[in-house]
Amino acid sequence: MEKRTARLTLLIDPEKKAAFEELCKQEDVTPSQRVRQFIREYVEERLGPNWREEREKRS
């Protein structure tokens, strides 16, 4: 399980936020769950599924 200790604050159009929240509700996920999924998929797409291991090697 991922550690959830960092916070990301963003500004979004209120209508888009409401639409996003409604779509999440229809899928029975929270907006935070969906945003974490989007970020996870983006990072893995750009850096590969083993990105954590690669970062640890550089440390």
Side-chain angles (χ1 to χ4, degrees), residues 47-59:
L47 300 177
N50 299 323
W51 65 273
R52 279 194 185 100
E53 294 170 13
E54 295 299 321
R55 286 185 60 142
E56 290 174 1
K57 288 179 187 176
R58 286 184 253 151
S59 298

Side-chain angles (χ1 to χ4, degrees), residues 1 10 12-13 19 21 23 29 38 47-48 55:
M1 169 105 356
L10 59 109
I12 186 170
D13 174 270
E21 289 173 331
L23 290 169
V29 296
F38 290 149
L47 300 177
R55 286 185 60 142

Side-chain angles (χ1 to χ4, degrees), residues 8 10 12 16-39:
L8 176 66
L10 59 109
I12 186 170
K16 195 176 293 175
K17 178 181 179 280
F20 179 66
E21 289 173 331
E22 181 58 36
L23 290 169
C24 289
K25 185 177 181 180
Q26 290 173 14
E27 296 177 355
D28 196 29
V29 296
T30 66
S32 291
Q33 288 172 316
R34 183 59 70 219
V35 169
R36 285 193 298 269
Q37 178 188 12
F38 290 149
I39 292 172

